[in-house]
Amino acid sequence: MFRRSALEMRVLVLAPVGRDAALLTATLAALQIETAISNNAAALLRMLEEGAGSAIIVEEALTSDFIQRLRAWLNAQPSWSDTPFIVLTSGGRPTPKSHCRAQELRELGNFTLIERPVRPETVESSVQAALRARMRQYEIRSRQEALIQANADLEQFAHSASHDLKEPIRSISIYSDLLERSYGTSLDEGGRKFLSFIQSATKRMEALLEDLLSYAHAASISEDAVEPVHVMRPVEAALESLAGAIRESNAQISVGEMPAVRMHESHISQIFQNLIGNAIKYRKESEPLLIQVSASRADGWWTFSVADNGIGVPPAYQEAIFGIFKRLHTSSKYSGTGMGLAICQRIIERYGGRIWVESEPDHGSNFFFTIRS
Ligand code: ADP
């Protein structure tokens, strides 16, 4: 299962002085470990790029320029990788300078310091420990890759399943409508009741599939930069598609000044449609519904807010409601699929932001989400 090339298990050695290189080569050869010797920093960095199990560097080679380049290389490594480095230090009594250097290397990455003159057994055990740790990292990489692939397969399955199921459900919907129209009068009261159960279950299934498809689509949002869009436009589009519900609920909606953000217009619109739609759906019958949409900027992010004076969300469920199919009410009380917030969360997270709610039961909810400014 674990893919490893010979390059990935070799030990690189940066030792411009011949004596160290000779000792290390002999020790590693005795262990049958593949070794590649370089005598300058650029060559070592090139070899690191091609793959390495560990690298041994003599202290004199660690110039500040090399450390800077090494830092840049380490920062560019994937999250699973933590290449173990072994540094052969000058030995002798610790000085403030050597203390500083050790501190600097600790902050830089996975560095083990060995004092010279080194004994072959010390090199042996350090290299073996380093390679063992590196092997574990390769295993984590393989698992990570397998997980990413399994996730992609699952996404694809969810997408195809919801797509393929649409067709037969559409047929059930069409034929039950036809049945009602052509034979409704021939059915007795029981028959008509059954037919209406079929029709409402079909509608619910259609809504579920539609939401599942939106959820699956959100997985494929690419991280490539998109042109900035003025948020007012998608907010207005959301309000337009909710026009019927707004009229019916007599909602007073105020929208503050909106910025431009780098997002697809349809995604912003979908988020606002779900959040404002929920604010309307979960209103209190006892007082006029007020909804406030606003945006504020801090530390390179826009925080958008959709606040209502509705029924609120109990603290215990304020995280759970973002899960798929998670609902706090029965369909007979409030219609819905339990997918709206999960879709919002997925879209927002694809753009690097986050979404959360602050709420007190019976005192309204304030949904926030952030998008990079
Ligand atoms: P749905 O509305 O279809 O149930 P959502 O994912 O949009 O699905 O919401 C999940 C749950 O979160 C809802 O069932 C509801 O209990 C709660 N909720 C969402 N928005 C609000 C809101 N504005 N006020 C109170 N509760 C809310």
Side-chain angles (χ1 to χ4, degrees), residues 204 282 327-336:
R204 192 163 156 64
Y282 300 106
R327 311 203 64 223
L328 306 184
H329 312 275
T330 56
S331 302
S332 53
K333 189 147 189 218
Y334 296 100
S335 67

Side-chain angles (χ1 to χ4, degrees), residues 47 159 272 285 292 323 370:
M47 289 197 290
H159 187 271
F272 279 109
E285 293 302 340
Q292 274 180 312
T370 56

Side-chain angles (χ1 to χ4, degrees), residues 96-111:
K97 195 170 162 215
S98 65
H99 184 74
C100 256
R101 166 55 54 87
Q103 170 78 15
E104 186 182 17
L105 293 179
R106 242 197 322 275
E107 283 163 13
L108 190 63
N110 183 357
F111 284 80

Side-chain angles (χ1 to χ4, degrees), residues 152-230:
D153 291 349
L154 215 63
E155 297 289 359
Q156 182 56 39
F157 170 74
H159 187 271
S160 319
S162 33
H163 204 271
D164 294 352
L165 282 172
K166 267 175 106 166
E167 202 43 51
I169 287 164
R170 183 105 204 91
S171 296
I172 299 175
S173 169
I174 290 170
Y175 283 105
S176 52
D177 285 353
L178 271 177
L179 189 65
E180 186 188 22
R181 229 174 302 144
S182 313
Y183 301 97
T185 47
S186 328
L187 293 172
D188 64 7
E189 200 184 327
R192 278 198 297 276
K193 205 160 87 184
F194 292 158
L195 191 56
S196 95
F197 285 155
I198 296 175
Q199 286 169 321
S200 57
T202 315
K203 281 207 176 59
R204 192 163 156 64
M205 194 64 151
E206 276 176 336
L208 271 169
L209 286 179
E210 207 47 61
D211 281 353
L212 264 178
L213 263 177
S214 298
Y215 188 73
H217 268 143
S220 56
I221 294 174
S222 96
E223 282 159 26
D224 300 345
V226 283
E227 287 300 305
V229 140
H230 203 284

Side-chain angles (χ1 to χ4, degrees), residues 221-370:
I221 294 174
S222 96
E223 282 159 26
D224 300 345
V226 283
E227 287 300 305
V229 140
H230 203 284
V231 177
M232 197 52 117
R233 246 187 17 216
V235 169
E236 276 167 1
L239 293 175
E240 215 173 288
S241 32
L242 291 166
I246 293 172
R247 226 182 0 257
E248 219 172 275
S249 61
N250 246 328
Q252 293 292 312
I253 303 181
S254 72
V255 181
E257 237 175 85
M258 290 287 122
V261 291
R262 288 185 181 278
M263 267 181 96
H264 287 288
E265 203 166 323
S266 61
H267 294 146
I268 316 176
S269 178
Q270 181 151 29
I271 293 166
F272 279 109
Q273 196 174 320
N274 288 351
L275 295 182
I276 299 172
N278 279 348
I280 297 173
K281 190 163 40 166
Y282 300 106
R283 65 184 179 272
K284 280 198 295 198
E285 293 302 340
S286 55
E287 48 186 292
L289 171 59
L290 304 173
I291 302 174
Q292 274 180 312
V293 180
S294 57
S296 63
R297 187 185 196 169
D299 303 326
W301 293 85
W302 282 106
T303 301
F304 294 88
S305 142
V306 176
D308 64 49
N309 59 344
I311 62 170
V313 183
Y317 299 106
Q318 289 177 6
E319 272 188 39
I321 52 170
F322 294 94
I324 45 176
F325 300 132
K326 187 69 197 178
R327 311 203 64 223
L328 306 184
H329 312 275
T330 56
S331 302
S332 53
K333 189 147 189 218
Y334 296 100
S335 67
T337 59
M339 290 292 292
L341 291 177
I343 294 170
C344 290
Q345 185 179 51
R346 187 170 246 207
I347 295 175
I348 291 159
E349 285 182 352
R350 291 282 149 164
Y351 283 96
R354 62 187 197 95
I355 180 169
W356 71 99
V357 65
E358 288 174 10
S359 173
E360 230 185 283
D362 215 34
H363 286 91
S365 310
N366 198 349
F367 282 84
F368 296 95
F369 66 93
T370 56

Side-chain angles (χ1 to χ4, degrees), residues 138-158:
Y138 292 141
E139 286 172 14
I140 290 171
R141 175 186 60 186
S142 300
R143 292 209 174 95
Q144 221 176 51
E145 284 171 355
L147 218 62
I148 289 169
Q149 186 55 47
N151 238 337
D153 291 349
L154 215 63
E155 297 289 359
Q156 182 56 39
F157 170 74

